[in-house]
Amino acid sequence: MPEQSGPARRALSWLAPRLRANWILAPLALLYVWSFPYFEGLNNPNELVRLYMTISIVDDGSYDIDPVCRRYTWVNDRSVVGDRAYSSKAPGASFAGVPVYLLVKAVSRLAHVDVSRRTLVWLLRITTCVLPSLVFLCLFRRFLASMGYSGFATDLVFAGFALGTPAFTYVHQFAGHVPSALTLFAAYMILTAARGGGGWSLGRGVAFGFRL
């Protein structure tokens, strides 16, 4: 028994924080993915104008969202120039949605099904906001632990950010708020990790580039 206590103790000390992290991450991931606040009648311009720009780029090769408005419904938060209308939002989220919409179109053609606006919004939220946020949360928790905080303090700050800040609200919108904030803090985490060394320059550049 004494010979086994050392390895067993080391194995338990290695496993315990990983189990705790998974117990925290699993319900958070379920909550992030399962939640889908969507009200058709609200016609939310904050994300629909971004969606319309994505559709316009793919379907029409244009930034003019008027044809998409005629296809679905009128939306606010747009800038009218002459007889054309454009999204008045920063274009990052719309550009990020282009490959997702391309894939959705290809799959819908193969399956011979129509994809509703509601489904498009959900898919774009998941791929451009929810999943990147979950990846960030994993890295964020590791970052907190690396700063020397106790397990309780790490979990408290981690859960507080994930559930008690506007990040939880905006992660459920197809918008640029959350990706912008996460890439900014990711750049800070990389800078902190690289402090005292010359590495991570590519990571810093990528994170700050996505932030802009």
Side-chain angles (χ1 to χ4, degrees), residues 38-209:
Y38 181 82
F39 305 95
E40 190 79 31
L42 184 61
N43 207 35
N44 184 1
N46 200 31
E47 60 182 345
L48 289 184
V49 75
R50 292 177 166 95
L51 169 65
Y52 287 5
M53 179 176 169
T54 297
I55 295 173
S56 296
I57 292 172
V58 175
D59 289 356
D60 306 320
S62 169
Y63 298 130
D64 179 10
I65 65 172
D66 253 351
V68 185
C69 289
R70 289 192 292 269
R71 189 186 319 169
Y72 291 107
T73 185
W74 183 88
V75 69
N76 208 336
D77 283 6
R78 60 186 198 161
S79 301
V80 178
V81 180
D83 59 349
R84 298 191 175 198
Y86 303 94
S87 167
S88 62
K89 302 293 187 181
S94 297
F95 289 143
V98 166
V100 179
Y101 181 59
L102 280 169
L103 180 60
V104 169
K105 281 194 68 173
V107 172
S108 65
R109 284 175 180 170
L110 289 174
H112 302 289
V113 295
D114 293 326
V115 180
S116 67
R117 189 178 69 170
R118 179 189 180 95
T119 302
L120 282 175
V121 169
W122 183 82
L123 288 170
L124 289 168
R125 286 182 186 179
I126 289 291
T127 52
T128 65
C129 289
V130 174
L131 294 181
S133 293
L134 292 176
V135 172
F136 171 82
L137 287 174
C138 295
L139 299 176
F140 180 56
R141 193 182 184 285
R142 290 182 60 183
F143 172 76
L144 292 173
S146 72
M147 299 295 287
Y149 299 114
S150 67
F152 175 77
T154 295
D155 293 342
L156 185 64
V157 174
F158 171 81
F161 170 78
L163 297 175
T165 69
F168 182 68
T169 301
Y170 279 101
V171 76
H172 296 112
Q173 289 194 47
F174 174 50
H177 304 72
V178 166
S180 179
L182 298 190
T183 48
L184 179 61
F185 198 82
Y188 169 75
M189 291 194 295
I190 294 172
L191 285 170
T192 302
R195 189 168 51 194
W200 294 96
S201 58
L202 177 60
R204 293 196 299 268
V206 170
F208 277 123

Side-chain angles (χ1 to χ4, degrees), residues 20-45:
R20 185 173 65 244
N22 289 333
W23 276 108
I24 293 173
L25 284 171
L28 277 178
L30 180 63
L31 190 59
Y32 268 51
V33 173
W34 187 263
S35 300
F36 181 61
Y38 181 82
F39 305 95
E40 190 79 31
L42 184 61
N43 207 35
N44 184 1

